Every structure is written in structure tokens, then in C-alpha cells.
Amino acid sequence: MLKGKSAIITGSTSGIGLGIASALAAEGCDVMLNGFGDPAETERLRAELAEQHGARTAYSPADMTKPAEIRELIAETERHFGGVDILVNNAGIQHVAPIVEFPEERWDAVIAINLSAAFHASKAALPLMIRKKWGRIINIASAHGLVASGEKAAYVAAKHGLVGLTKVTAIEVANQGVTCNAICPGWVLTRLVQQQIEARAKAQGIPVEQAREDLVREKQPMLDYTTPEKIAALAVFLCGDAASTITGAALSIDGGWVAQ
Ligand code: NAD
């Protein structure tokens, strides 16, 4: 369905980003991977995706806190694959602390990676999409883009901002063949959440398994974690023709979290 399209997925060395990269490669996309990690392991992931799906794949270590490196990521993808048709702004970090104790440096980092990076990447990629009169931007926001929780000031602010950026982008390019949507997951069991589970188990002196169950129970009516594969299937749908008039939307995939 997406054969010949080229896709960048920021933060795709693990978790949701890797799931989306894999699903887009399976659909025939050329895929630019990005994110941090052990170089040998990253190369193994890149080669595996290429081999499994017959896709062209590349990797950029661009740091999403650095606008110049983000611009270079877009330029490098154009050089490799002849364009940027799909941009998935997925890279993200979390920091959990009350506002009065929140380290300024962590605030800046969360806003830079979870919000400003999507602006810089969209700014650089949009002219390439408009030129081809086709493009898809998918911003991986969160249930925290729609509702708040305590001790997540930077993350909630960044994700609410990302939902706002999604709407503005959608409006600006509505008649240029480009759509922009946000996906708002609830709990997905990835490294980012595993760290929160382990911190909770330690703080409360409870087993990790119990902390995992408590975390999901606290927010979601449905007591299941979403998988990266399910987020990826939604992203693939948004790239397809059936979704060509879905734009500016914030799509929840959250076990009923924000229905309450
Ligand atoms: P993860 O920790 O598994 O993946 C994060 C990715 O971002 C990794 O590839 C990491 O290397 C990359 N990254 C971090 N800092 C970077 C930087 N400065 N430059 C480039 N890459 C960087 O986490 P995940 O759960 O897969 O999270 C992916 C996205 O999904 C995030 O935006 C997160 O906020 C969002 N999300 C996750 C959940 C969840 O429950 N896991 C829920 C809602 C939203």
C-alpha cells in the first residue's frame, strides 16, 4: 500500500517508534531510523528490518534536542530516499517530580524532545511533502496530551502543546495533500513506562508485577496495556487512502483513559 514512500520515525530504536518503523517497512516504505542506543544493536535492528521486509533502511543518530541535527535528519533522508513522505514525531522522554522540585534542565529537555523537535522536523519536512502534494505527519502525543496527572508538568505541557501543533499543521496544509494527526496512547509497556513501574515498586516497597498492575488500574478502565504493534497499526491506517480526510485529530488508543 505504501510502497515507495519514505518515512522518518524519530526515536525508533525501541518501543513504540520501533513498532511503527517495523510496520511501515512491512508496508513497503523506505525507513529512516533514529534514536539513541548501542551502535551494534542499532545496526542489527536496521539490517533486520531491511532483510525481513525487503525495505531500504538507514539510521541517523540525530539528537532531537538540537534543531540543526533535526534539519540534517530531514535532509539526509531526502538524499537517501528522494523525499520525506511520512514523518512520525515519536521521540520522547519523561520526568516525574512535583513542580517545586522539578529540575529546570529536565523541563527544558522534555519540552525540547517531546514538543520542539516536532516543530523543527515538521518545518523542514513540510516543503518536501507540499512539493509532492502528498504527506503524512503523525505526532505521538499521549492521553497526557488531553488530560493531566500530577508530577508530570513538563510531559503534560509538551503533549498538550503537541496536540495544538498537530491542529495548526493540519489547518495550514489542509489543501496540499498533507494530513497531520496525533495519536494519544494510554499505557504501553515500553522502556519509558518500565522505568516508572520500577520506580513505583521501589518507592512503595511492592513487587514489580503489582506496580505494573496498579499503574494501569489507576488510569484506565480497561486493565490492558496497549502494545507498540497496535499503535503502529493505527499509524499505518493514518498513512493510507482511507484516512485521507482525517486531519487535525487527536486519536485516543488508551483503554478508556480519557473517556472518564
Ligand atoms: P522508549 O523509551 O522505548 O523510546 C523512546 C525513543 O526516543 C528511543 O528510541 C530513544 O532513543 C529516543 N530518544 C530519546 N531521547 C532522544 C533524543 N534526544 N534524540 C533522539 N531520540 C531520542 O519510549 P516509548 O514508550 O516507545 O515512547 C515513544 C513515544 O510514545 C514518546 O513520545 C512517549 O511520550 C509516547 N507515549 C508513550 C506511552 C507509553 O505508555 N509507553 C504512552 C503515551 C505516549
Side-chain angles (χ1 to χ4, degrees):
M1 181 181 71
L2 297 172
K3 189 132 197 69
K5 303 285 189 206
S6 69
I8 300 176
I9 306 93
T10 69
S12 44
T13 49
S14 71
I16 293 170
L18 182 56
I20 295 174
S22 181
L24 289 175
E27 292 294 319
C29 289
D30 300 327
V31 165
M32 174 62 87
L33 297 168
N34 159 258
F36 296 151
D38 170 56
E41 172 59 11
T42 304
E43 172 50 23
R44 192 193 62 73
L45 284 176
R46 188 205 61 73
E48 192 176 273
L49 276 193
E51 197 183 320
Q52 266 178 0
H53 305 296
R56 289 195 294 172
T57 58
Y59 164 72
S60 158
D63 181 341
M64 291 299 117
T65 62
K66 305 210 165 93
E69 293 191 21
I70 297 170
R71 285 190 288 275
E72 179 50 27
L73 167 68
I74 306 294
E76 195 186 339
T77 307
E78 192 193 12
R79 285 198 297 275
H80 264 284
F81 302 138
V84 175
D85 303 308
I86 298 167
L87 169 66
V88 183
N89 290 307
N90 167 79
I93 59 167
Q94 174 65 280
H95 188 83
V96 182
I99 291 173
V100 290
E101 292 166 18
F102 213 95
E104 283 85 1
E105 166 277 319
R106 286 289 85 196
W107 168 275
D108 289 344
V110 172
I111 298 294
I113 298 167
N114 296 33
L115 175 58
S116 301
F119 162 75
H120 295 297
S122 300
K123 184 176 176 187
L126 274 170
L128 307 179
M129 295 178 179
I130 291 167
R131 197 177 66 200
K132 287 199 191 174
K133 299 228 161 298
W134 196 95
R136 295 285 188 269
I137 298 179
I138 299 173
N139 293 324
I140 306 301
S142 168
H144 282 122
L146 303 170
V147 295
S149 296
E151 306 199 347
K152 293 188 175 174
Y155 189 84
V156 169
K159 295 300 190 182
H160 274 68
L162 191 56
V163 170
L165 175 66
T166 302
K167 294 175 184 176
V168 175
T169 308
I171 289 168
E172 287 189 2
V173 293
N175 293 300
Q176 318 256 23
V178 180
T179 69
C180 178
N181 291 288
I183 294 180
C184 298
W187 292 122
V188 186
L189 209 44
T190 64
R191 195 181 51 189
L192 184 131
V193 167
Q194 189 60 30
Q195 285 164 357
Q196 292 175 62
I197 291 169
E198 282 164 18
R200 191 185 178 112
K202 198 172 159 198
Q204 298 182 4
I206 56 174
V208 169
E209 183 53 40
Q210 191 187 329
R212 186 178 297 129
E213 281 178 32
D214 290 353
L215 195 75
V216 78
R217 193 181 301 278
E218 198 174 86
K219 297 291 182 185
Q220 292 188 193
M222 190 180 286
L223 302 178
D224 289 331
Y225 282 85
T226 301
T227 60
E229 290 73 21
K230 288 179 182 173
I231 310 283
L234 180 53
V236 166
F237 173 74
L238 286 173
C239 292
D241 196 48
S244 67
T245 58
I246 300 179
T247 198
L251 298 156
S252 291
I253 173 164
D254 67 357
W257 182 328
V258 305
Q260 301 165 97

